[in-house]
Amino acid sequence: MTTTPAGPMLEISGLSVYYGNIAAVKGLNLTVNEGEIITLIGSNGAGKSTTLRTVSGLIRPRSGAVTFLGQRIDSLPAHDVVKRGLAQSPEGRRIFPRMTVAENLDLGAFLRNDKAGIAQDQERMLELFPRLRERISQKAGTLSGGEQQMLAVARALMARPRLLLLDEPSMGLAPVLVDVIFATIRRIREQGTTVLLVEQNARAALSVADRAYVLESGTIKLSGNARELRNDPEIAKAYLGG
């Protein structure tokens, strides 16, 4: 059984990521401790999704280090990152539309071979997202946007990650479904999974997170307690519409 070493679960140190000659992330430093919900907020193009994709092994950094559970992962391929206990629900959901809900969930567990555990986790996903139980044999492409988002999160959780990366889970959803998604994020943490959340809906993100980092043009402008940042006049003006 993997144990968490002393110190942060995830540590990003001096991370710089480029697309060609354009710096998307510049010297980023952040930490995620076990049991936390951490959010990255900022405008479009601030480097939020790039940061998650780098942690997931989908993008290689030009410099800096990503350490997870005490081991460097920034040079590992994405499937090895998943094996270490880290999974991502990507921006835009990226579900497999021609496959059923059940088949999408099975794909989330593709690196596992514990049949009983997989069945147990699938049942847990259907309890977490009751809508998916009603749609279990339905093609994923026929689901509503909110149901597809639920499926994307459930599929990532089927890998049984220690750390779940969520990229814009509320994008394109009606307000009532945004509330459902964020209530579920709280439940996911209560069930023992640490969460790193990228979200453009800063108000919702700060309401659920323990700590937050504000990204601007690839650098961290501000960080701290999420509740305090939510009440910061500068943050309210720039990101909360008030």
Side-chain angles (χ1 to χ4, degrees), residues 64-87:
V66 180
T67 304
F68 179 61
L69 297 175
Q71 296 183 315
R72 288 278 296 269
I73 61 169
D74 45 88
S75 63
L76 295 179
H79 64 275
D80 281 340
V81 172
V82 175
K83 284 181 184 176
R84 298 288 177 97
L86 193 156

Side-chain angles (χ1 to χ4, degrees), residues 9-83:
M9 174 180 268
L10 178 74
E11 186 168 21
I12 298 175
S13 308
L15 190 72
S16 293
V17 183
Y18 283 70
Y19 294 112
N21 293 321
I22 299 170
V25 174
K26 310 165 197 171
L28 195 75
N29 297 292
L30 70 80
T31 60
V32 179
N33 299 308
E34 185 166 20
E36 286 188 311
I37 298 175
I38 301 299
T39 188
L40 308 182
I41 63 173
S43 57
N44 276 333
K48 306 183 305 295
S49 292
T50 296
T51 300
L52 285 200
R53 288 170 62 81
T54 305
V55 171
S56 294
L58 298 170
I59 300 175
R60 289 280 168 266
R62 182 171 292 189
S63 60
V66 180
T67 304
F68 179 61
L69 297 175
Q71 296 183 315
R72 288 278 296 269
I73 61 169
D74 45 88
S75 63
L76 295 179
H79 64 275
D80 281 340
V81 172
V82 175
K83 284 181 184 176

